[in-house]
Amino acid sequence: GDSVTQMEGPVTLSEEAFLTINCTYTATGYPSLFWYVQYPGEGLQLLLKATKADDKGSNKGFEATYRKETTSFHLEKGSVQVSDSAVYFCALSDRGSTLGRLYFGRGTQLTVWP
Amino acid sequence: EAGVVQSPRYKIIEKKQPVAFWCNPISGHNTLYWYLQNLGQGPELLIRYENEEAVDDSQLPKDRFSAERLKGVDSTLKIQPAELGDSAVYLCASSPTGSRNTEAFFGQGTRLTVV
């Protein structure tokens, strides 16, 4: 069945460091891929998404590219800030004409120190 | 625009007691989801509605869990009786219907503690 495997955390970085959080997926067909972020005390928010192979999603300096050949959707940011401290979830949606079930990874806790 | 509203934010109950969670989705969103998030895990789908119809409830433990979405707007998720293992965060989300090029919008969740 469909699933997402996400890099385990926690990840601790200094401000302005480069961030990579790995995400690979297993899916039948061609799913849409997402990164959600959960800041302390808040609900899940969509960070970025990609709906087909080779698409690049980007937002707030974060990027991820849909790689069908490696079934990956790694999250990157060139220079993290303290405000980026949160839990990051990779997810995919099953194929269909509308947004269906989301399959989430386990989440990666990111802490950025000043 | 108001987001997805859930209540209560926190609930503590004794095992074997019933509990209910309420969700008001974003206006105009016909698709509504209930997800379960255990500590240290990603959310897992319990049930998905398209308007009033439950189109995906395969992961809902139907012996103790039930859900309804009357009039295709608000939804209630119930557990009766609750067990210790039900302690988790229950998330509601909604999305527009008609396109897969969209996203699910999540509420802040209800944190349930069963003692």
Side-chain angles (χ1 to χ4, degrees):
Chain A
D2 294 356
S3 67
V4 171
T5 301
Q6 191 174 336
M7 171 178 153
E8 290 194 17
V11 174
T12 303
L13 296 172
S14 298
E15 205 165 27
E16 299 183 2
F18 183 84
L19 169 71
T20 299
I21 301 178
N22 290 337
C23 172
T24 58
Y25 67 90
T26 301
T28 53
Y30 306 98
S32 294
L33 301 174
F34 305 82
W35 277 99
Y36 276 83
V37 59
Q38 190 169 35
Y39 297 104
E42 299 185 16
L44 283 166
Q45 304 173 24
L46 179 69
L47 180 60
L48 52 84
K49 67 180 180 184
T51 57
K52 61 183 187 296
D54 299 325
D55 269 3
K56 177 185 285 187
S58 61
N59 186 26
K60 300 182 181 179
F62 291 89
E63 293 183 342
T65 300
Y66 190 141
R67 301 289 188 196
K68 181 172 177 289
E69 63 276 14
T70 56
T71 62
S72 64
F73 194 55
H74 305 320
L75 183 68
E76 296 183 337
K77 186 174 185 180
S79 177
V80 294
Q81 305 300 311
V82 172
S83 57
D84 294 327
S85 298
V87 181
Y88 293 81
F89 293 91
C90 185
L92 69 82
S93 70
D94 53 5
R95 182 168 177 76
S97 59
T98 59
L99 184 68
R101 174 187 302 204
L102 286 169
Y103 296 84
F104 285 87
R106 295 182 60 159
T108 301
Q109 172 77 56
L110 170 66
T111 301
V112 181
W113 296 100
Chain B
E1 175 182 276
V4 176
V5 178
Q6 292 187 247
S7 67
R9 287 292 310 279
Y10 305 92
K11 188 74 175 178
I12 301 175
I13 62 169
E14 294 183 344
K15 62 181 180 183
K16 300 184 182 181
Q17 295 301 305
V19 65
F21 315 124
W22 175 80
C23 173
N24 180 237
I26 293 173
S27 177
H29 284 192
N30 294 333
T31 306
L32 183 145
Y33 317 76
W34 284 102
Y35 283 87
L36 165 68
Q37 186 176 16
N38 286 305
L39 186 64
Q41 303 290 322
E44 298 177 0
L45 183 73
L46 288 172
I47 189 168
R48 175 167 66 99
Y49 283 93
E50 295 291 344
N51 298 303
E52 303 89 352
E53 182 182 3
V55 297
D56 185 352
D57 63 354
S58 57
Q59 302 301 309
L60 188 72
K62 298 182 181 65
D63 56 336
R64 296 185 300 107
F65 286 66
S66 64
E68 62 181 9
R69 191 182 184 199
L70 300 176
K71 300 181 181 179
V73 182
D74 295 0
S75 178
T76 303
L77 178 69
K78 299 178 181 178
I79 308 175
Q80 181 170 14
E83 297 179 352
L84 295 176
D86 296 330
S87 296
V89 176
Y90 292 82
L91 298 169
C92 181
S94 68
S95 67
T97 302
S99 170
R100 51 191 307 266
N101 187 22
T102 183
E103 65 178 275
F105 295 81
F106 284 80
Q108 291 188 294
T110 296
R111 182 177 296 276
L112 173 67
T113 302
V114 182
V115 298

